[in-house]
Amino acid sequence: MAEDIVTQVVEKLKQATSFALQLDESTDISGESQLVAFVRYKDKDEIDEHILFCKPMLGKTTGEDIFNAVDSFFTEHSLDWLCCLHICTNGAASMTGRIRGFVSHVKQVHPDIKTIHCVIHREALASKRMSPKLHEVLNDAVKIINFVKSRPLNARLFKKLCGSEHQQLLLHTDVRWLSRGKTLQRLFELREQVCDFLSEHLHPSAALLKDYNWLAHLAYLADVFSRLNDLNLELQGKDTSVLHLYDRVSSFMKKIDLWGRKCQDGDVSSFPQLNMYILNGGADKVGILQTVQTHVNKLSSEFKPYFPDIEVQNPELDWIWNPFAPTSIQTAPASLQERLIDLSSDRGLRLMFSETSLTQFWCNAEKEYPILENVLCMNCYPLGQPICVR
């Protein structure tokens, strides 16, 4: 059955004549390195995406090894590298290295291929760094959770102690990006039960759960990582183009700036758990605000290098979002403006635009105006999210 599915996907790629490729190499729980590839291509009146292969990497995982693995699959199934218009990777050196990376090997056979660093991976990297104080709180929280969760007896005793809606803590792992926010959220919700449990076991970390300032920092981390989780989830899902992803990231970056301005005025209402905890009294509000302000500013400065031109790129793509808008002709490339006038005057396509998805619309528009195929290839094909979240 698997071979039949691969055959069907390969045939669709050949019929589409162009496609985008996404690769991810990672180690599974058995310690084996796995190379996974996804493709996105035009299938009739829609953009479709499907797994292409999952191959074990038996030796090294250098850029050359990865290229040889993909190239052997292409050769075996008679796929042409020139038909691959876009590649999305996680930004690792083995993928993007200028001399020995996978992309550099691909450009030797297809110099004009476009590349993109996975948007969710950039978001995860941008949010990774924090102040020493917050990093210490995060590490302490992980130690507390590990004490309860890593020993089966402790986990059972803690479950027996809990009488709340949640009866267990959640483990955090760096590989599962969403786990950090959920883990801290659950620890903050069960802080009283965890404190009682640690006190019974004479654990030194019990004192942290009685420290108002430490708990305020924990509340902030739970809030901010919940916000990052929300962004992460918005960037996931099928049928998401880079247009959608950049809009979501742009919105989040504006929210970060808003949080910074509110913090300057002593307002932390954007972080509900921290806000409620400070209102209940006990914590050093001035010190907490300073920590939050520093982290929010750091978050803003970290996002900008990973998404440097996002505010410039988004308005330039407005004509793709709505080719019938009054300003669409002016913002479109000069080489497409005449064809875009023809398209915007087409009443049939105007009706279709309001009744179909964006990708469906451009798939149909490309049939009548073939010169617009480049719009479809450059803006609807590229994959922008990592394989591991699919």
Side-chain angles (χ1 to χ4, degrees), residues 143-162 167-169 187 190-207 209-210:
K143 290 177 183 177
I144 292 171
I145 294 167
N146 286 343
F147 175 76
V148 178
K149 292 289 291 181
S150 63
R151 298 172 176 84
L153 176 60
N154 284 355
R156 292 196 300 271
L157 292 174
F158 182 73
K159 183 176 181 180
K160 185 177 180 180
L161 174 67
C162 286
Q167 296 184 341
Q168 284 292 359
L169 296 175
L187 176 60
L190 296 177
R191 60 189 181 278
E192 294 180 1
Q193 292 89 335
V194 175
C195 182
D196 292 341
F197 183 81
L198 295 180
S199 298
E200 288 180 8
H201 288 75
L202 303 178
H203 196 284
S205 294
L209 293 166
K210 299 176 183 178

Side-chain angles (χ1 to χ4, degrees), residues 35-104:
L35 179 64
V36 188
F38 263 77
V39 285
R40 179 175 284 180
Y41 53 92
K42 181 183 176 183
D43 185 14
K44 298 179 181 178
D45 296 335
E46 186 56 280
I47 303 295
D48 199 6
E49 59 187 66
H50 205 284
I51 185 171
L52 186 61
F53 64 77
C54 180
K55 284 186 172 186
M57 300 291 290
L58 302 179
K60 296 180 179 180
T61 56
T62 63
E64 183 179 1
D65 295 316
I66 295 172
F67 173 77
N68 289 337
V70 180
D71 189 55
S72 65
F73 182 91
F74 275 32
T75 302
E76 180 184 350
H77 295 88
S78 302
L79 291 173
D80 189 350
W81 274 110
L82 295 178
C83 295
C84 181
L85 304 181
H86 270 269
I87 294 178
C88 177
T89 69
N90 60 8
S94 60
M95 289 289 185
T96 60
R98 290 191 300 172
I99 299 174
R100 298 183 179 180
F102 165 75
V103 172
S104 66

Side-chain angles (χ1 to χ4, degrees), residues 222-233:
D223 281 331
V224 74
F225 284 119
S226 293
R227 291 298 198 108
L228 287 164
N229 281 4
D230 292 341
L231 171 63
N232 199 297
L233 291 171

Side-chain angles (χ1 to χ4, degrees), residues 243-261:
L243 300 174
H244 296 86
L245 301 183
Y246 285 154
D247 275 0
R248 298 293 180 272
V249 173
S250 175
S251 172
F252 188 78
M253 291 173 68
K254 292 174 182 176
K255 289 178 183 177
I256 295 175
D257 293 338
L258 174 63
W259 301 341
R261 292 194 298 271

Side-chain angles (χ1 to χ4, degrees), residues 117-130:
H117 182 181
C118 149
V119 174
I120 294 185
H121 191 251
R122 279 187 274 171
E123 175 261 326
L125 291 174
S127 61
K128 197 169 185 177
R129 297 180 183 177
M130 60 184 75

